[in-house]
Amino acid sequence: MEKLRISIVSNLYPPQSIGGYERAIADYARLLHKRGHEVLVLTSNTEKYTIDYTPTHAEPLVKRCLILGGCWSDRGGFWFPPEQAEPINLENQKILIQELQAFQPQVCLAGNIDLLRIELLQILLTAGIPVIHYIMNASPGYPLEVYPYSPLYKYITCSNWILQNLQEQGYPVETAQTIYPGAAVEEFYQPQLPPHDRLRIAYASLVMYYKGADVLIEALCLLHTAGIPFTATIAGGTLEPHLVKALQELIASEGFQEQVSFPGVLSRQQLKQLYKTHNVLVFPSRFDEPFGISQIEAMAAGLTLVTSGTGGAREIVEDGEDGLIFQSENPLHLADILSSLPNFPTEWETITRRGQQKAMSQFSQVKTVEQLESVFWQMLSDR
């Protein structure tokens, strides 16, 4: 197959990262590069969001030449004042035009453009370059009134929930399609399931209120009160250090601090090691998740997924078949499900194996990239 010149535009690129969105885009960039395509990543250089991150494939060409027009806090992203943001936007446009002239891409994969502005994608479209915009947030990163009406612009959504949500907001979705982001399941796969001797619970997400870390801690308090043996690891960074402190204080006041650890942000390699010593992943998010890649990674590693199933996360698991769903924001229901697992070891193992098989067969990143390649070629053909 003929190889493509692909530009990728995203606000952050690992090791500068906040969540799964930018890490997924980086994985696609590396896989496309590995498959022989010429890839240029245009992103920002925002060192304050640097994490410990070791790529598993060779990097494509990455230029951290763009400038964000705002920043993030525990309340989400916000723009700088117009007198500061507008010159940044103009400079980004100038940089993009220069890079396009030098690289001459055939297609563009756009990721998270929060704090970058839609004008960058409009420059690509004006130059006749098809833009596939992979949406992994509830919003595409710009208001409806500046939607770039062009036959060269196409949404790819990470879940059917996101597609429906965009439609409900009024964004045109006639040509949109869902391609699940998947995960690096081949890397996380463990042929031997972790022992089911007792509950060894993992949490792997941002430790923030909207992610429901407090719901899990409350459920752990109930398990401790009931005398059910367990250990737990709460892995992930935070923009709410006061929440982490409050959770640690609650655990200490209940007297089971020796059973719970907070290692902070983990690299992919560290996360794989974490999964080797745990047998349950709890995904307690209270907000409508676009998807939830960590769920797939854990399932591939042989952990039992216990999830709130909010938003697009519900599309990953069939309750009672390949995972378990508890009522969002209900620690009592979560504790009931967790405490039941050791009582039914055969059923526990069956659900876990089905979950692992599903992750491997339906949610591979390689499959995702193959689907993206098909979209690239179709867009070029339609043009």
Side-chain angles (χ1 to χ4, degrees):
M1 180 182 292
E2 181 184 350
K3 303 306 178 184
L4 295 170
R5 292 190 308 280
I6 305 170
S7 64
I8 295 179
V9 177
S10 190
N11 54 14
L12 295 175
Y13 189 91
Q16 299 173 8
S17 174
I18 292 180
Y21 198 162
E22 48 269 28
R23 291 196 293 272
I25 295 297
D27 283 342
Y28 305 152
R30 296 183 185 112
L31 285 170
L32 288 166
H33 175 63
K34 182 181 179 182
R35 292 166 73 86
H37 302 291
E38 190 175 354
V39 178
L40 170 65
V41 178
L42 300 176
T43 187
S44 72
N45 187 19
T46 314
E47 294 182 350
K48 66 183 293 187
Y49 302 114
T50 300
I51 63 171
D52 183 6
Y53 190 85
T54 303
T56 55
H57 300 295
E59 288 280 11
L61 178 60
V62 178
K63 292 192 175 183
R64 300 181 185 274
C65 53
L66 302 177
I67 308 166
L68 298 185
C71 59
W72 287 275
S73 72
D74 58 357
R75 298 183 179 180
F78 63 91
W79 288 91
F80 296 140
E83 62 273 15
Q84 183 180 356
E86 189 54 34
I88 290 174
N89 180 40
L90 294 174
E91 180 65 17
N92 282 339
Q93 293 181 52
K94 178 181 176 181
I95 291 169
L96 179 62
I97 290 171
Q98 292 172 344
E99 294 296 340
L100 294 181
Q101 291 174 343
F103 184 63
Q104 295 290 308
Q106 294 167 277
V107 292
C108 173
L109 174 64
N112 192 345
I113 63 166
D114 287 352
L115 306 181
L116 280 180
R117 298 272 289 265
I118 188 62
E119 285 88 340
L120 297 185
L121 302 190
Q122 291 170 329
I123 288 172
L124 288 150
L125 296 170
T126 300
I129 300 167
V131 175
I132 292 88
H133 195 172
Y134 203 107
I135 308 295
M136 295 183 70
N137 283 335
S139 165
Y142 56 83
L144 175 60
E145 55 266 25
V146 295
Y147 174 85
Y149 287 93
S150 168
L152 299 179
Y153 183 66
K154 180 181 179 70
Y155 285 146
I156 299 295
T157 58
C158 68
S159 63
N160 291 322
W161 180 84
I162 286 289
L163 196 155
Q164 181 180 350
N165 189 61
L166 291 175
Q167 184 177 31
E168 290 173 353
Q169 295 179 68
Y171 290 93
V173 295
E174 291 79 10
T175 63
Q177 71 182 85
T178 294
I179 297 178
Y180 290 124
V185 293
E186 295 82 6
E187 295 180 39
F188 283 91
Y189 175 75
Q190 297 179 106
Q192 187 74 28
L193 294 185
H196 288 171
D197 51 338
R198 58 180 170 83
L199 289 170
R200 285 179 282 133
I201 301 163
Y203 170 98
S205 187
L206 290 170
V207 186
M208 297 179 69
Y209 177 78
Y210 78 97
K211 287 290 189 177
D214 58 305
V215 177
L216 172 56
I217 299 302
E218 289 182 38
L220 296 182
C221 290
L222 294 169
L223 294 180
H224 176 67
T225 300
I228 297 170
F230 72 88
T231 55
T233 301
I234 312 299
T238 187
L239 296 175
E240 298 177 305
H242 57 281
L243 173 63
V244 177
K245 182 180 179 181
L247 295 177
Q248 292 170 331
E249 290 175 348
L250 173 60
I251 291 167
S253 70
E254 294 293 322
F256 61 98
Q257 62 271 25
E258 298 300 320
Q259 298 168 238
V260 184
S261 61
F262 288 78
V265 179
L266 300 183
S267 67
R268 178 172 288 176
Q269 188 59 40
Q270 291 171 324
L271 193 59
K272 287 190 284 187
Q273 292 301 315
L274 174 77
Y275 289 158
K276 289 181 180 179
T277 56
H278 293 67
N279 51 31
V280 175
L281 178 84
V282 174
F283 191 84
S285 185
R286 58 168 34 96
F287 98 117
D288 286 324
E289 288 282 346
F291 185 70
I293 293 174
S294 63
Q295 299 179 106
I296 303 299
E297 295 170 340
M299 291 165 69
L303 278 68
T304 311
L305 175 61
V306 181
T307 177
S308 56
T310 56
R314 182 63 181 82
E315 297 171 37
I316 294 173
V317 64
E318 185 176 351
D319 187 29
E321 290 294 318
D322 42 42
L324 296 163
I325 297 177
F326 72 95
Q327 184 179 11
S328 178
E329 299 191 81
N330 189 335
L332 180 59
H333 190 204
L334 173 57
D336 284 344
I337 288 176
L338 291 172
S339 63
S340 71
L341 291 174
N343 296 329
F344 301 96
T346 301
E347 290 82 353
W348 185 3
E349 180 173 341
T350 298
I351 288 174
T352 305
R353 289 197 180 279
R354 287 175 180 163
Q356 186 179 53
Q357 292 165 1
K358 186 174 190 177
M360 299 305 296
S361 63
Q362 297 186 28
F363 294 109
S364 166
Q365 272 184 346
V366 173
K367 181 178 180 180
T368 300
V369 169
E370 289 173 348
Q371 291 175 297
L372 287 174
E373 284 178 330
S374 295
V375 176
F376 290 149
W377 287 112
Q378 186 61 55
M379 292 284 284
L380 287 170
S381 174
D382 291 345
R383 183 187 64 173

